[in-house]
Amino acid sequence: MAAIFVALAIEFARERTPLQRDLILALTADEEGGVVSPDGRWIIFRSSENGEREVFVDSFPEPKRRLQVSQGRSLELSWGDSGRSIVFLQGSKVSRVPFDPQAGRVAGPSRVVYESPAILAVQADPTTERVLVARRAPGSEKPPVLRVVLPAG
């Protein structure tokens, strides 16, 4: 359960007091996959606090503004567009949720940006709206195909 923040706690431990290190590790549910935002003020992670692994965002390094980002089981989360969007995989759909890093809030509904039953991995470009999707080639057990999804327009 605390594994999500262990590496982060070690990285930030040199500049933190023992109390602040404890706050980084104080988790309320089974949580994993933490990714710190490009500006270092937010962290996205998966939590099972509602029964399924859903995406949440919280302030970082001291958690105090926990917000749910996704509904239902989610995997493969990352920051996109310089921290102004959160990208995650739900089943066969890659979704993007706009995020306002200044206000610390979700800035609109999630939008499906790509869909395929053969998705293996997803990674948002941290500085643009591009999303990299690795998927299995249709009807094949060959190595995955890397597909770049560019923003509309």
Side-chain angles (χ1 to χ4, degrees), residues 33-91:
V35 182
V36 176
S37 65
D39 68 3
R41 296 176 48 219
W42 305 98
I43 186 166
I44 51 175
F45 56 93
R46 290 184 303 275
S47 174
S48 62
E49 75 178 47
N50 296 330
E52 291 196 52
R53 295 223 184 279
E54 297 169 314
V55 178
F56 287 79
V57 62
D58 204 339
S59 56
F60 185 82
E62 297 183 28
K64 55 186 163 190
R65 301 213 37 198
R66 183 184 201 96
L67 302 168
Q68 187 169 343
V69 174
S70 70
Q71 300 289 323
R73 186 170 190 265
S74 302
L75 303 167
E76 300 286 333
L77 55 152
S78 58
W79 290 99
D81 196 19
S82 298
R84 292 186 299 268
S85 67
I86 299 167
V87 175
F88 54 91
L89 174 63
Q90 282 189 306

Side-chain angles (χ1 to χ4, degrees), residues 5 12 16 20 23-25 40-43 59-63:
F5 291 107
F12 289 96
R16 308 239 176 269
Q20 289 170 319
L23 288 174
I24 291 172
L25 295 171
R41 296 176 48 219
W42 305 98
I43 186 166
S59 56
F60 185 82
E62 297 183 28

Side-chain angles (χ1 to χ4, degrees), residues 68-142:
Q68 187 169 343
V69 174
S70 70
Q71 300 289 323
R73 186 170 190 265
S74 302
L75 303 167
E76 300 286 333
L77 55 152
S78 58
W79 290 99
D81 196 19
S82 298
R84 292 186 299 268
S85 67
I86 299 167
V87 175
F88 54 91
L89 174 63
Q90 282 189 306
S92 63
K93 298 176 182 175
V94 177
S95 295
R96 175 189 306 277
V97 173
F99 182 74
D100 181 343
Q102 299 306 315
R105 65 178 178 83
V106 172
S110 70
R111 182 175 57 90
V112 174
V113 296
Y114 184 75
E115 187 171 0
S116 170
I119 296 174
L120 300 172
V122 173
Q123 179 65 49
D125 180 327
T127 60
T128 70
E129 292 186 12
R130 292 185 183 116
V131 177
L132 300 176
V133 177
R135 67 177 188 88
R136 192 175 331 282
S140 173
E141 293 300 317
K142 293 180 181 176

